[in-house]
Amino acid sequence: MGSHSSSAHGENYINCEKGLWSWLTTIDHKRIGIMYMIAVMFFFFVGGVMALLLRLELFAPNATAGVGQVLKNGDAYNQVLTYHGAIMVFMVIVPGIPAILGNFFLPIHLGAKDMAFPKINLLSWYVFMAGALLAVATFFLSKIDTGWTFYTPYSIRTGTSVVVMVVAAFIMGMSSILTGLNMIVTVHKLRAPGMTMHRMPLFVWAMYSTAILQLLATPVLGITLMLLAAEKIFGVGIFDPALGGDPVLFQHFFWFYSHPAVYIMILPAMGVISEIITAFSRKVIFGYTAIAYSSLGIAAVSFFVWGHHMFVSGQSELAGIMFSFITMLVGVPTAIKMFNWVATIYKGSVSFDSPMLFALGFLFLFAIGGVTGIMLATLPIDVHFHDTYFVVAHFHYVMVGGTLMALMGGFYYWFPKMFGKNFNEALARLSFVFIFIGFNVTFFPQFILGAMGMPRRYFDYIPNYEQLNKVSTVGSWLILIGFLIGLYAIVQGIRKGSKAVANPWGAKTLEWQTASPPPQFNFDVEPVVTAGPYEYR
Amino acid sequence: MMWFNIAKAQSFMPTQGTEIAKQVDNLYGFLLITSFIACVLVIGGMIYFVLKYKRKSDNDKTAYISHSTALEFLWSFIPLVIFLAVFAWGWYIYHGMRTMPKDALEINVLGKQWAWEVEYKNGYKAVNEIVVPVNTDVKLLLTSQDVIHSFFIPSFRIKQDAVPGRYTALWFRAEKLGEFHAFCAEYCGTTHSGMIGKVRVVTREEFDKYMEEGQEEGQLPLAKRGEKLFALKACASCHAVDNPAAKVGPSLFQVFGHEVVLADGSKVNADENYIRESILQPNAKVVKGFPQGVMPTFQGQINENELNALIEYVKSLK
């Protein structure tokens, strides 16, 4: 591959080839990242509209006619709930940062020309799209109503297209495995000269830990979903108590994947935050090794905590106690990261550009998500909070507040690099303000609703819960406004933004040492690395 | 302990109906306070630092502090100690929560889509209502006839899944008279949110009286027995009885003796035989506008006497 001083002629990965076909057949990791971006944004829009519908339905108890009856009955609500969860988990948050930002920046961060397996990289996009479209297709067959967790025996008994949906999730899982595999090999084999493991940016460490999880955990989900499909088609009797199966076994299998998956969602976010905090404080990150190894630590321990989803499922008391204990241990590396980020700001030179605002928003929301996580890990407290709105609030704080804040922050951070254009900073900040306030208005009341005892997945509720649900629904509109402003800022930036310089933020990692947007093979001259990634002196 | 009370007042927990609830709230109060302090330290520290070290010029000199072993050890060790203390405290409470008392009053609770069927030792059955004497150990034996449900009494801070094919149990000792909600917390389909029972805590005398009345159920008039059975079999989840509005299934209000239009356009007179057939083979003649295959068959689940009582009840819905 010998395109050398291509950027000197103003040629970059966007304009080096033209036409839709050149995008659909590209093996350039940057273009694939952009293709993921378009897909994920579309699914985020669909999942978001469903969230708004759910909140609208819950604006008032059903007894009050009108607003409380947006979805015409419990079935419609349960279906929208299921699609909202499945789309947001499998098509937005799990692929989000790894597939968009990871694809785009991991090779550049390493000083590589591309991923280790560029064609497998393209294949994973097609596999992902095939799975995602199949999942969406079930919406036109018979809408499934199992919740994104597919708990048995409900999923076996319900007459809806569960089999198609689990096949779709299985296919998307394969895409996730391929991406993970590709990233691990890229990290091990394609680092530029001088780029030792301990000189890799923390974003790469986070992606690396994530990739290990994707590779090891996703097959378990695949097998579980295939067993569920076999159960539905052939009546094997693994999960269905009517056939002598054990319905709780499904939960064990399911969470053995899905708990590590929670970290597949959050570790990449932590990587993005590490990059932003250090760049906008202009200061070397505090505790590089602690952050890098705590990612691996979280990844390792996350395999042994699945049972904390099942404290009241009828699993043994001893199991509950063990899982509670191990879950407490995950809190430690997570706390370490929080302290490291705050310590990085200490004696720095902090600017409040929009990426930094999103990163600070992340720290704020993740602190709340984290402490409520400890509450849920505490056995007798979880017995009360399990399957209530407290849990809903907690995981939205961690997964949406955490991952989405990081995705938005990372997106604005790298926007000039990705598109070679500047976005409107005022709009980006305004979008942050709406999203941040809206998010807290929507989800904080749900902690209280949960403490008051309102169970989750409720189509309707008793009047005690009305006021807080109203507040929560109003919050969801603020989030909507925030995202619409953000979308406008992005589209306007891409179309009309002024030309970006190579290193607008004065950051140190490798992607800022090449042109904006990067040339087709990332660097005109292969970089040689002589120091750590954050040498701000 | 004043701090605890403040935290508890802020915590919005429902009425404390049991001793366990008080213990749970104490631990929760402690966690609320420590969490609040932790958040103030982290978020407050963050806000303080970003304001104090706000960028002044484009070439600010920043400190080069890459790590501090002592600091890093401290902030790993202190959370670890707190987490383990919380774990141990939680374990202690959980132990009390899960150790079933020996001479408890045992009540069977069967979860089904979408009601709780309650059966006492003397054979008395009720639906969506558990009556228990105050200050008495009560043990609920839970199971489900279809999907997983979860029995949740917020005021008692207890919850346990009802799993088909096995028995699970929970216990409580109610210390306050009154009525408390019992929700289904595990998603179970269409009217999951409507699966609400109540726990009525009464005096010992009232409880004994309630049991006696329950025993006399055999002497109730036929239609009354049908009404009870209608609730017990959760028919009311899908069929309205006091107005013509359709729920999941057609309303039974003023249906008996009238003509019913079926899905294929034909008509049938809603007489005793049609009602009987609709209970035992629900999909044989489905009313126009309602989907096939929704109602489960009750074949083998009710006897002839019960069928008579149900039909008599439908007749009485005028």
Side-chain angles (χ1 to χ4, degrees):
Chain A
M1 304 206 187
S3 165
H4 289 299
S5 58
S6 51
S7 62
H9 314 292
E11 202 173 66
N12 58 50
Y13 83 99
I14 298 172
N15 63 16
C16 64
E17 284 175 282
K18 293 235 167 3
L20 184 64
W21 187 244
S22 76
W23 281 84
L24 291 175
T25 56
T26 183
I27 53 170
D28 182 341
H29 66 102
K30 299 183 286 301
R31 286 188 159 206
I32 295 171
I34 301 287
M35 283 170 24
Y36 268 114
M37 186 190 95
I38 295 165
V40 169
M41 275 170 77
F42 172 73
F43 293 126
F44 178 66
F45 174 76
V46 177
V49 168
M50 287 176 171
L52 288 167
L53 280 177
L54 297 176
R55 278 304 344 152
L56 218 50
E57 169 63 42
L58 294 173
F59 187 77
N62 215 20
T64 322
V67 260
Q69 293 180 322
V70 179
L71 300 165
K72 68 175 189 297
N73 55 37
D75 284 329
Y77 181 87
N78 296 337
Q79 288 157 2
V80 173
L81 175 94
T82 301
Y83 282 92
H84 165 69
I87 288 175
M88 286 304 199
V89 169
F90 293 115
M91 302 178 208
V92 178
I93 299 183
V94 167
I97 297 177
I100 302 171
L101 299 175
N103 239 319
F104 201 106
F105 288 104
L106 182 106
I108 310 186
H109 267 159
L110 295 170
K113 283 179 183 160
D114 205 320
M115 294 284 248
F117 307 114
K119 287 181 182 162
I120 288 185
N121 202 12
L122 179 64
L123 176 67
S124 21
W125 186 81
Y126 277 102
V127 172
F128 171 73
M129 289 308 288
L133 293 177
L134 189 59
V136 172
T138 62
F139 203 80
F140 304 97
L141 299 172
S142 61
K143 303 180 188 65
I144 72 158
D145 65 342
T146 60
W148 79 276
T149 49
F150 311 112
Y151 269 18
T152 54
Y154 188 80
S155 55
I156 298 167
R157 288 166 169 258
T158 180
T160 52
S161 39
V162 172
V163 172
V164 184
M165 189 57 142
V166 300
V167 169
F170 181 84
I171 294 172
M172 285 186 279
M174 293 217 282
S175 163
S176 191
I177 294 172
L178 290 175
T179 307
L181 176 82
N182 214 341
M183 286 183 176
I184 292 175
V185 178
T186 307
V187 167
H188 279 290
K189 303 304 276 185
L190 294 189
R191 283 170 310 183
M195 175 67 80
T196 61
M197 291 290 271
H198 285 116
R199 283 180 185 165
M200 296 193 309
L202 287 165
F203 178 68
V204 177
W205 271 103
M207 294 309 310
Y208 180 65
S209 311
T210 308
I212 294 173
L213 282 181
Q214 284 178 314
L215 204 60
L216 295 181
T218 318
V220 181
L221 176 72
I223 294 164
T224 309
L225 294 179
M226 285 304 101
L227 288 176
L228 178 59
E231 185 88 3
K232 271 205 84 118
I233 301 168
F234 306 113
V236 189
I238 303 166
F239 304 129
D240 189 349
L243 302 167
D246 179 359
V248 179
L249 181 65
F250 178 84
Q251 299 180 21
H252 280 289
F253 283 164
F254 181 83
W255 288 114
F256 189 81
Y257 160 78
S258 292
H259 195 76
V262 171
Y263 294 98
I264 292 178
M265 303 173 207
I266 198 67
L267 280 172
M270 293 171 157
V272 173
I273 295 305
S274 300
E275 296 300 320
I276 295 178
I277 297 268
T278 179
F280 290 86
S281 303
R282 292 252 172 98
K283 185 163 162 284
V284 63
I285 194 130
F286 187 91
Y288 173 91
T289 19
I291 296 184
Y293 284 95
S294 62
S295 290
L296 285 177
I298 290 173
V301 182
S302 71
F303 279 102
F304 304 100
V305 297
W306 77 88
H308 69 215
H309 295 268
M310 301 164 61
F311 286 155
V312 300
S313 69
Q315 75 178 5
S316 79
E317 271 106 51
L318 180 64
I321 291 162
M322 299 291 224
F323 282 123
S324 169
F325 178 79
I326 306 170
T327 304
M328 290 289 176
L329 297 184
V330 190
V332 177
T334 313
I336 291 175
K337 280 182 197 280
M338 293 293 290
F339 298 138
N340 277 307
W341 289 320
V342 175
T344 301
I345 302 170
Y346 174 71
K347 289 198 173 175
S349 163
V350 181
S351 80
F352 293 91
D353 295 298
S354 47
M356 186 64 166
L357 291 181
F358 278 98
L360 297 175
F362 171 96
L363 291 189
F364 185 99
L365 301 178
F366 204 72
I368 295 173
V371 293
T372 50
I374 292 293
M375 291 177 187
L376 290 174
T378 311
L379 273 168
I381 307 222
D382 183 72
V383 169
H384 178 65
F385 285 157
H386 181 73
D387 271 336
T388 67
Y389 263 79
F390 194 94
V391 177
V392 176
H394 162 72
F395 74 70
H396 279 91
Y397 262 83
V398 175
M399 277 155 53
V400 185
T403 308
L404 228 54
M405 279 282 164
L407 181 59
M408 294 295 290
F411 197 61
Y412 286 120
Y413 176 48
W414 281 308
F415 186 94
K417 181 59 60 184
M418 294 168 88
F419 301 104
K421 300 274 184 69
N422 294 310
F423 56 88
N424 183 323
E425 175 65 21
L427 283 178
R429 288 185 195 186
L430 190 64
S431 146
F432 166 77
V433 170
F434 271 102
I435 294 173
F436 182 76
I437 294 175
F439 184 86
N440 284 295
V441 174
T442 307
F443 293 105
F444 202 84
Q446 297 184 4
F447 282 122
I448 303 169
L449 281 172
M452 288 166 73
M454 178 173 164
R456 63 195 279 210
R457 296 177 166 180
Y458 261 31
F459 163 63
D460 194 7
Y461 49 82
I462 57 175
N464 313 24
Y465 304 138
E466 186 173 354
Q467 295 310 322
L468 288 167
N469 269 299
K470 280 203 158 51
V471 175
S472 182
T473 300
V474 171
S476 70
W477 303 335
L478 296 178
I479 303 181
L480 171 72
I481 296 172
F483 274 113
L484 289 179
I485 297 172
L487 181 69
Y488 178 74
I490 289 164
V491 172
Q492 197 216 25
I494 293 176
R495 292 185 58 213
K496 294 182 182 156
S498 57
K499 196 166 162 30
V501 296
N503 190 359
W505 317 114
K508 297 283 183 189
T509 37
L510 280 181
E511 76 272 30
W512 305 109
Q513 316 306 320
T514 188
S516 298
Q520 192 178 6
F521 296 105
N522 299 343
F523 299 96
D524 293 332
V525 182
E526 187 180 38
V528 177
V529 181
T530 54
Y534 310 113
E535 294 296 312
Y536 298 92
R537 291 197 189 245
Chain B
M1 287 292 124
M2 188 195 74
W3 277 60
F4 272 18
N5 294 328
I6 295 170
K8 255 185 287 176
Q10 297 303 318
S11 67
F12 298 95
M13 297 290 255
T15 328
Q16 296 172 334
T18 58
E19 173 60 28
I20 292 278
K22 286 175 199 152
Q23 293 181 18
V24 169
D25 288 1
N26 281 340
L27 177 52
Y28 179 56
F30 172 78
L31 273 171
L32 270 182
I33 292 163
T34 32
S35 300
F36 183 74
I37 295 172
C39 285
V40 166
L41 284 178
V42 172
I43 298 170
M46 172 188 99
I47 293 173
Y48 175 73
F49 286 161
V50 293
L51 293 179
K52 179 153 189 212
Y53 302 108
K54 194 169 187 289
R55 184 167 300 170
K56 289 172 190 83
S57 73
D58 214 29
N59 37 21
D60 281 356
K61 187 96 181 105
T62 60
Y64 191 82
I65 312 168
S66 65
H67 67 285
S68 154
T69 312
L71 197 58
E72 287 178 73
F73 172 77
L74 266 186
W75 74 36
S76 319
F77 186 71
I78 294 171
L80 181 69
V81 170
I82 297 175
F83 294 161
L84 291 186
V86 168
F87 162 73
W89 188 349
W91 183 2
Y92 172 78
I93 299 172
Y94 184 69
H95 183 74
M97 207 180 245
R98 296 303 308 166
T99 309
M100 301 294 153
K102 284 221 168 60
D103 301 313
L105 169 72
E106 278 191 19
I107 302 170
N108 285 291
V109 177
L110 176 71
K112 57 173 159 182
Q113 288 167 321
W114 291 276
W116 299 104
E117 193 174 316
V118 181
E119 190 168 10
Y120 295 83
K121 280 274 151 42
N122 65 3
Y124 175 52
K125 284 187 185 178
V127 70
N128 284 344
E129 184 181 57
I130 303 180
V131 178
V132 296
V134 71
N135 289 326
T136 310
D137 291 341
V138 177
K139 180 177 173 183
L140 302 184
L141 264 174
L142 302 164
T143 191
S144 161
Q145 74 169 38
D146 36 52
V147 302
I148 298 176
H149 303 278
S150 189
F151 193 80
F152 174 31
I153 312 174
S155 293
F156 299 173
R157 313 286 187 273
I158 49 173
K159 181 185 289 130
Q160 181 65 49
D161 285 2
V163 184
R166 71 163 70 161
Y167 290 95
T168 53
L170 55 72
W171 80 274
F172 59 85
R173 183 187 175 92
E175 294 181 339
K176 278 192 181 136
L177 295 172
E179 275 186 18
F180 304 95
H181 285 293
F183 296 116
C184 174
E186 181 65 67
Y187 171 71
C188 60
T190 310
T191 48
H192 167 52
S193 50
M195 193 167 158
I196 302 177
K198 66 181 169 200
V199 179
R200 201 142 63 79
V201 182
V202 298
T203 59
R204 174 53 77 170
E205 297 76 54
E206 276 180 80
F207 177 73
D208 290 342
K209 209 168 131 225
Y210 180 77
M211 283 290 100
E212 247 170 63
E213 280 166 8
Q215 291 267 295
E216 289 158 8
E217 193 186 316
Q219 279 107 56
L220 284 175
L222 204 52
K224 278 282 173 206
R225 251 158 63 204
E227 184 176 1
K228 208 135 186 263
L229 209 53
F230 191 82
L232 206 58
K233 296 291 174 189
C235 313
S237 311
C238 303
H239 296 285
V241 289
D242 50 2
N243 64 63
K247 291 161 97 176
V248 177
S251 169
L252 301 180
F253 183 63
Q254 291 179 343
V255 160
F256 193 86
H258 294 83
E259 281 205 327
V260 177
V261 184
L262 301 180
D264 60 6
S266 63
K267 287 180 181 164
V268 65
N269 188 25
D271 59 5
E272 284 89 347
N273 280 317
Y274 176 66
I275 304 284
R276 179 193 170 89
E277 187 185 30
S278 299
I279 295 171
L280 299 178
Q281 298 166 49
N283 294 310
K285 288 171 190 159
V286 178
V287 177
K288 191 178 169 88
F290 294 91
Q292 282 270 342
V294 172
M295 178 168 159
T297 173
F298 285 83
Q299 184 86 52
Q301 295 183 33
I302 51 179
N303 59 36
E304 290 298 326
N305 291 337
E306 290 173 323
L307 266 173
N308 290 340
L310 275 174
I311 292 169
E312 196 57 36
Y313 174 59
V314 175
K315 274 188 193 174
S316 74
L317 299 171
K318 289 171 187 154

